PDB file of all heavy atoms in Angstrom:
ATOM      1  N   PHE A   1     137.511  14.512  32.323  1.00  0.00           N
ATOM      2  CA  PHE A   1     135.989  14.497  32.430  1.00  0.00           C
ATOM      3  C   PHE A   1     135.431  14.865  31.074  1.00  0.00           C
ATOM      4  O   PHE A   1     134.444  14.377  30.555  1.00  0.00           O
ATOM      5  CB  PHE A   1     135.517  15.417  33.552  1.00  0.00           C
ATOM      6  CG  PHE A   1     134.062  15.456  33.661  1.00  0.00           C
ATOM      7  CD1 PHE A   1     133.315  14.362  34.237  1.00  0.00           C
ATOM      8  CD2 PHE A   1     133.466  16.534  33.183  1.00  0.00           C
ATOM      9  CE1 PHE A   1     131.987  14.493  34.346  1.00  0.00           C
ATOM     10  CE2 PHE A   1     131.993  16.657  33.295  1.00  0.00           C
ATOM     11  CZ  PHE A   1     131.348  15.616  33.824  1.00  0.00           C
ATOM     12  N   TYR A   2     135.898  16.001  30.466  1.00  0.00           N
ATOM     13  CA  TYR A   2     135.383  16.470  29.318  1.00  0.00           C
ATOM     14  C   TYR A   2     135.830  15.952  27.928  1.00  0.00           C
ATOM     15  O   TYR A   2     135.088  16.012  27.086  1.00  0.00           O
ATOM     16  CB  TYR A   2     135.657  18.027  29.248  1.00  0.00           C
ATOM     17  CG  TYR A   2     134.779  18.811  30.165  1.00  0.00           C
ATOM     18  CD1 TYR A   2     135.306  19.287  31.438  1.00  0.00           C
ATOM     19  CD2 TYR A   2     133.473  19.094  29.931  1.00  0.00           C
ATOM     20  CE1 TYR A   2     134.533  20.077  32.223  1.00  0.00           C
ATOM     21  CE2 TYR A   2     132.692  19.766  30.826  1.00  0.00           C
ATOM     22  CZ  TYR A   2     133.086  20.255  32.072  1.00  0.00           C
ATOM     23  OH  TYR A   2     132.403  20.899  32.941  1.00  0.00           O
ATOM     24  N   PHE A   3     137.008  15.373  27.917  1.00  0.00           N
ATOM     25  CA  PHE A   3     137.592  15.034  26.600  1.00  0.00           C
ATOM     26  C   PHE A   3     138.042  13.527  26.485  1.00  0.00           C
ATOM     27  O   PHE A   3     138.159  13.073  25.325  1.00  0.00           O
ATOM     28  CB  PHE A   3     138.744  15.887  26.297  1.00  0.00           C
ATOM     29  CG  PHE A   3     138.416  17.373  26.267  1.00  0.00           C
ATOM     30  CD1 PHE A   3     138.913  18.192  27.200  1.00  0.00           C
ATOM     31  CD2 PHE A   3     137.693  17.833  25.148  1.00  0.00           C
ATOM     32  CE1 PHE A   3     138.526  19.547  27.116  1.00  0.00           C
ATOM     33  CE2 PHE A   3     137.474  19.171  25.038  1.00  0.00           C
ATOM     34  CZ  PHE A   3     137.837  19.959  26.081  1.00  0.00           C
ATOM     35  N   LEU A   4     138.136  12.750  27.507  1.00  0.00           N
ATOM     36  CA  LEU A   4     138.716  11.475  27.404  1.00  0.00           C
ATOM     37  C   LEU A   4     137.451  10.414  27.219  1.00  0.00           C
ATOM     38  O   LEU A   4     136.606  10.332  28.050  1.00  0.00           O
ATOM     39  CB  LEU A   4     139.471  10.989  28.694  1.00  0.00           C
ATOM     40  CG  LEU A   4     140.113   9.640  28.587  1.00  0.00           C
ATOM     41  CD1 LEU A   4     141.128   9.533  27.549  1.00  0.00           C
ATOM     42  CD2 LEU A   4     140.747   9.260  29.872  1.00  0.00           C
ATOM     43  N   PRO A   5     137.389   9.699  26.066  1.00  0.00           N
ATOM     44  CA  PRO A   5     136.442   8.747  25.830  1.00  0.00           C
ATOM     45  C   PRO A   5     136.580   7.487  26.547  1.00  0.00           C
ATOM     46  O   PRO A   5     137.771   7.171  26.897  1.00  0.00           O
ATOM     47  CB  PRO A   5     136.322   8.575  24.320  1.00  0.00           C
ATOM     48  CG  PRO A   5     137.755   8.920  23.951  1.00  0.00           C
ATOM     49  CD  PRO A   5     138.297   9.919  24.876  1.00  0.00           C
ATOM     50  N   GLU A   6     135.543   6.762  26.829  1.00  0.00           N
ATOM     51  CA  GLU A   6     135.649   5.377  27.391  1.00  0.00           C
ATOM     52  C   GLU A   6     135.811   4.317  26.377  1.00  0.00           C
ATOM     53  O   GLU A   6     134.902   4.178  25.570  1.00  0.00           O
ATOM     54  CB  GLU A   6     134.376   5.094  28.327  1.00  0.00           C
ATOM     55  CG  GLU A   6     134.473   3.783  29.121  1.00  0.00           C
ATOM     56  CD  GLU A   6     135.664   3.735  30.044  1.00  0.00           C
ATOM     57  OE1 GLU A   6     135.821   4.578  31.012  1.00  0.00           O
ATOM     58  OE2 GLU A   6     136.526   2.874  29.696  1.00  0.00           O
ATOM     59  N   MET A   7     136.893   3.632  26.342  1.00  0.00           N
ATOM     60  CA  MET A   7     137.121   2.576  25.296  1.00  0.00           C
ATOM     61  C   MET A   7     137.432   1.210  25.908  1.00  0.00           C
ATOM     62  O   MET A   7     137.838   0.249  25.154  1.00  0.00           O
ATOM     63  CB  MET A   7     138.331   3.067  24.398  1.00  0.00           C
ATOM     64  CG  MET A   7     137.997   4.235  23.599  1.00  0.00           C
ATOM     65  SD  MET A   7     139.440   4.984  22.736  1.00  0.00           S
ATOM     66  CE  MET A   7     140.267   5.671  24.170  1.00  0.00           C
ATOM     67  N   LYS A   8     137.344   1.052  27.230  1.00  0.00           N
ATOM     68  CA  LYS A   8     137.519  -0.276  27.741  1.00  0.00           C
ATOM     69  C   LYS A   8     136.666  -1.396  27.155  1.00  0.00           C
ATOM     70  O   LYS A   8     135.512  -1.195  27.024  1.00  0.00           O
ATOM     71  CB  LYS A   8     137.273  -0.230  29.333  1.00  0.00           C
ATOM     72  CG  LYS A   8     137.541  -1.601  29.934  1.00  0.00           C
ATOM     73  CD  LYS A   8     137.192  -1.541  31.438  1.00  0.00           C
ATOM     74  CE  LYS A   8     137.466  -2.915  32.132  1.00  0.00           C
ATOM     75  NZ  LYS A   8     136.632  -3.915  31.400  1.00  0.00           N
ATOM     76  N   GLY A   9     137.361  -2.463  26.883  1.00  0.00           N
ATOM     77  CA  GLY A   9     136.638  -3.619  26.348  1.00  0.00           C
ATOM     78  C   GLY A   9     136.144  -3.540  24.908  1.00  0.00           C
ATOM     79  O   GLY A   9     135.439  -4.368  24.394  1.00  0.00           O
ATOM     80  N   ARG A  10     136.482  -2.506  24.236  1.00  0.00           N
ATOM     81  CA  ARG A  10     136.142  -2.267  22.819  1.00  0.00           C
ATOM     82  C   ARG A  10     137.010  -2.801  21.862  1.00  0.00           C
ATOM     83  O   ARG A  10     138.313  -2.474  21.883  1.00  0.00           O
ATOM     84  CB  ARG A  10     135.902  -0.707  22.471  1.00  0.00           C
ATOM     85  CG  ARG A  10     134.905  -0.080  23.349  1.00  0.00           C
ATOM     86  CD  ARG A  10     133.435  -0.489  22.984  1.00  0.00           C
ATOM     87  NE  ARG A  10     132.508   0.371  23.624  1.00  0.00           N
ATOM     88  CZ  ARG A  10     131.172   0.482  23.432  1.00  0.00           C
ATOM     89  NH1 ARG A  10     130.761  -0.590  22.542  1.00  0.00           N
ATOM     90  NH2 ARG A  10     130.359   1.187  24.016  1.00  0.00           N
ATOM     91  N   PRO A  11     136.672  -3.654  20.887  1.00  0.00           N
ATOM     92  CA  PRO A  11     137.663  -4.069  19.872  1.00  0.00           C
ATOM     93  C   PRO A  11     138.066  -2.900  18.901  1.00  0.00           C
ATOM     94  O   PRO A  11     137.332  -1.940  18.917  1.00  0.00           O
ATOM     95  CB  PRO A  11     136.872  -5.076  19.039  1.00  0.00           C
ATOM     96  CG  PRO A  11     135.418  -4.805  19.320  1.00  0.00           C
ATOM     97  CD  PRO A  11     135.297  -4.276  20.713  1.00  0.00           C
ATOM     98  N   ALA A  12     139.108  -3.015  18.140  1.00  0.00           N
ATOM     99  CA  ALA A  12     139.624  -1.953  17.325  1.00  0.00           C
ATOM    100  C   ALA A  12     138.541  -1.460  16.266  1.00  0.00           C
ATOM    101  O   ALA A  12     138.444  -0.143  16.135  1.00  0.00           O
ATOM    102  CB  ALA A  12     140.887  -2.362  16.626  1.00  0.00           C
ATOM    103  N   MET A  13     137.829  -2.281  15.751  1.00  0.00           N
ATOM    104  CA  MET A  13     136.835  -1.893  14.808  1.00  0.00           C
ATOM    105  C   MET A  13     135.790  -1.074  15.458  1.00  0.00           C
ATOM    106  O   MET A  13     135.324   0.012  14.815  1.00  0.00           O
ATOM    107  CB  MET A  13     136.228  -3.013  13.979  1.00  0.00           C
ATOM    108  CG  MET A  13     135.311  -2.692  12.823  1.00  0.00           C
ATOM    109  SD  MET A  13     134.825  -4.079  11.861  1.00  0.00           S
ATOM    110  CE  MET A  13     136.469  -4.530  11.056  1.00  0.00           C
ATOM    111  N   ASP A  14     135.364  -1.444  16.564  1.00  0.00           N
ATOM    112  CA  ASP A  14     134.239  -0.554  17.296  1.00  0.00           C
ATOM    113  C   ASP A  14     134.842   0.811  17.517  1.00  0.00           C
ATOM    114  O   ASP A  14     134.090   1.816  17.473  1.00  0.00           O
ATOM    115  CB  ASP A  14     133.792  -1.276  18.553  1.00  0.00           C
ATOM    116  CG  ASP A  14     132.901  -2.405  18.302  1.00  0.00           C
ATOM    117  OD1 ASP A  14     132.598  -2.704  17.094  1.00  0.00           O
ATOM    118  OD2 ASP A  14     132.402  -3.062  19.246  1.00  0.00           O
ATOM    119  N   VAL A  15     136.076   0.860  18.030  1.00  0.00           N
ATOM    120  CA  VAL A  15     136.701   2.177  18.368  1.00  0.00           C
ATOM    121  C   VAL A  15     136.827   3.012  17.087  1.00  0.00           C
ATOM    122  O   VAL A  15     136.486   4.249  17.154  1.00  0.00           O
ATOM    123  CB  VAL A  15     138.075   1.943  18.934  1.00  0.00           C
ATOM    124  CG1 VAL A  15     138.790   3.315  19.130  1.00  0.00           C
ATOM    125  CG2 VAL A  15     137.987   1.262  20.301  1.00  0.00           C
ATOM    126  N   ASP A  16     137.132   2.465  15.943  1.00  0.00           N
ATOM    127  CA  ASP A  16     137.132   3.120  14.625  1.00  0.00           C
ATOM    128  C   ASP A  16     135.769   3.736  14.388  1.00  0.00           C
ATOM    129  O   ASP A  16     135.621   4.929  13.907  1.00  0.00           O
ATOM    130  CB  ASP A  16     137.478   2.129  13.518  1.00  0.00           C
ATOM    131  CG  ASP A  16     138.915   1.790  13.462  1.00  0.00           C
ATOM    132  OD1 ASP A  16     139.787   2.430  14.216  1.00  0.00           O
ATOM    133  OD2 ASP A  16     139.279   0.887  12.849  1.00  0.00           O
ATOM    134  N   MET A  17     134.714   2.885  14.518  1.00  0.00           N
ATOM    135  CA  MET A  17     133.317   3.367  14.313  1.00  0.00           C
ATOM    136  C   MET A  17     132.893   4.581  15.071  1.00  0.00           C
ATOM    137  O   MET A  17     132.320   5.491  14.703  1.00  0.00           O
ATOM    138  CB  MET A  17     132.391   2.186  14.380  1.00  0.00           C
ATOM    139  CG  MET A  17     132.569   1.158  13.334  1.00  0.00           C
ATOM    140  SD  MET A  17     131.539  -0.371  13.643  1.00  0.00           S
ATOM    141  CE  MET A  17     129.989   0.203  13.252  1.00  0.00           C
ATOM    142  N   MET A  18     133.297   4.462  16.428  1.00  0.00           N
ATOM    143  CA  MET A  18     132.916   5.550  17.405  1.00  0.00           C
ATOM    144  C   MET A  18     133.532   6.864  17.090  1.00  0.00           C
ATOM    145  O   MET A  18     132.935   7.998  17.023  1.00  0.00           O
ATOM    146  CB  MET A  18     133.115   5.080  18.726  1.00  0.00           C
ATOM    147  CG  MET A  18     132.223   4.070  19.266  1.00  0.00           C
ATOM    148  SD  MET A  18     132.356   3.681  21.106  1.00  0.00           S
ATOM    149  CE  MET A  18     134.000   2.717  21.072  1.00  0.00           C
ATOM    150  N   PHE A  19     134.828   6.787  16.686  1.00  0.00           N
ATOM    151  CA  PHE A  19     135.532   8.017  16.308  1.00  0.00           C
ATOM    152  C   PHE A  19     135.064   8.505  15.024  1.00  0.00           C
ATOM    153  O   PHE A  19     134.947   9.822  14.790  1.00  0.00           O
ATOM    154  CB  PHE A  19     137.064   7.758  16.288  1.00  0.00           C
ATOM    155  CG  PHE A  19     137.778   7.853  17.617  1.00  0.00           C
ATOM    156  CD1 PHE A  19     138.223   6.727  18.223  1.00  0.00           C
ATOM    157  CD2 PHE A  19     137.856   9.143  18.228  1.00  0.00           C
ATOM    158  CE1 PHE A  19     138.799   6.920  19.568  1.00  0.00           C
ATOM    159  CE2 PHE A  19     138.443   9.215  19.476  1.00  0.00           C
ATOM    160  CZ  PHE A  19     138.927   8.112  20.072  1.00  0.00           C
ATOM    161  N   ASP A  20     134.666   7.585  14.117  1.00  0.00           N
ATOM    162  CA  ASP A  20     134.257   8.172  12.765  1.00  0.00           C
ATOM    163  C   ASP A  20     132.905   8.748  12.920  1.00  0.00           C
ATOM    164  O   ASP A  20     132.522   9.640  12.164  1.00  0.00           O
ATOM    165  CB  ASP A  20     134.141   6.930  11.785  1.00  0.00           C
ATOM    166  CG  ASP A  20     135.508   6.509  11.305  1.00  0.00           C
ATOM    167  OD1 ASP A  20     136.492   7.243  11.386  1.00  0.00           O
ATOM    168  OD2 ASP A  20     135.617   5.389  10.730  1.00  0.00           O
ATOM    169  N   ALA A  21     132.102   8.257  14.008  1.00  0.00           N
ATOM    170  CA  ALA A  21     130.751   8.812  14.137  1.00  0.00           C
ATOM    171  C   ALA A  21     130.900  10.224  14.952  1.00  0.00           C
ATOM    172  O   ALA A  21     129.883  10.841  15.163  1.00  0.00           O
ATOM    173  CB  ALA A  21     129.914   7.935  14.952  1.00  0.00           C
ATOM    174  N   LYS A  22     132.053  10.567  15.297  1.00  0.00           N
ATOM    175  CA  LYS A  22     132.359  11.886  16.024  1.00  0.00           C
ATOM    176  C   LYS A  22     131.526  12.055  17.332  1.00  0.00           C
ATOM    177  O   LYS A  22     130.993  13.070  17.542  1.00  0.00           O
ATOM    178  CB  LYS A  22     132.078  13.084  15.050  1.00  0.00           C
ATOM    179  CG  LYS A  22     133.055  13.121  13.824  1.00  0.00           C
ATOM    180  CD  LYS A  22     132.796  14.344  12.892  1.00  0.00           C
ATOM    181  CE  LYS A  22     133.852  14.553  11.884  1.00  0.00           C
ATOM    182  NZ  LYS A  22     133.868  13.385  10.974  1.00  0.00           N
ATOM    183  N   LEU A  23     131.510  10.964  18.030  1.00  0.00           N
ATOM    184  CA  LEU A  23     130.795  10.988  19.335  1.00  0.00           C
ATOM    185  C   LEU A  23     131.494  11.816  20.377  1.00  0.00           C
ATOM    186  O   LEU A  23     132.690  11.917  20.375  1.00  0.00           O
ATOM    187  CB  LEU A  23     130.688   9.635  19.898  1.00  0.00           C
ATOM    188  CG  LEU A  23     129.869   8.477  19.120  1.00  0.00           C
ATOM    189  CD1 LEU A  23     130.000   7.107  19.890  1.00  0.00           C
ATOM    190  CD2 LEU A  23     128.414   8.962  19.054  1.00  0.00           C
ATOM    191  N   PRO A  24     130.649  12.567  21.109  1.00  0.00           N
ATOM    192  CA  PRO A  24     131.315  13.298  22.298  1.00  0.00           C
ATOM    193  C   PRO A  24     131.905  12.205  23.221  1.00  0.00           C
ATOM    194  O   PRO A  24     131.397  11.137  23.335  1.00  0.00           O
ATOM    195  CB  PRO A  24     130.153  14.041  22.838  1.00  0.00           C
ATOM    196  CG  PRO A  24     129.118  14.177  21.823  1.00  0.00           C
ATOM    197  CD  PRO A  24     129.335  12.945  20.960  1.00  0.00           C
ATOM    198  N   ALA A  25     132.900  12.694  23.997  1.00  0.00           N
ATOM    199  CA  ALA A  25     133.659  11.721  24.757  1.00  0.00           C
ATOM    200  C   ALA A  25     132.731  10.972  25.727  1.00  0.00           C
ATOM    201  O   ALA A  25     132.904   9.745  26.064  1.00  0.00           O
ATOM    202  CB  ALA A  25     134.794  12.507  25.523  1.00  0.00           C
ATOM    203  N   ARG A  26     131.760  11.642  26.340  1.00  0.00           N
ATOM    204  CA  ARG A  26     130.938  11.128  27.295  1.00  0.00           C
ATOM    205  C   ARG A  26     129.863  10.161  26.832  1.00  0.00           C
ATOM    206  O   ARG A  26     129.182   9.537  27.553  1.00  0.00           O
ATOM    207  CB  ARG A  26     130.300  12.180  28.202  1.00  0.00           C
ATOM    208  CG  ARG A  26     131.234  12.802  29.212  1.00  0.00           C
ATOM    209  CD  ARG A  26     130.587  14.006  29.909  1.00  0.00           C
ATOM    210  NE  ARG A  26     130.636  15.110  29.009  1.00  0.00           N
ATOM    211  CZ  ARG A  26     129.940  16.308  29.364  1.00  0.00           C
ATOM    212  NH1 ARG A  26     129.330  16.508  30.500  1.00  0.00           N
ATOM    213  NH2 ARG A  26     129.967  17.334  28.490  1.00  0.00           N
TER     214      ARG A  26
END
């Protein structure tokens, strides 16, 4: 609940961008 991000359906580049933006998991 607190730490696992939702990545279903995301291409690799979008996942890179979300982690680089340091988004909270939720």
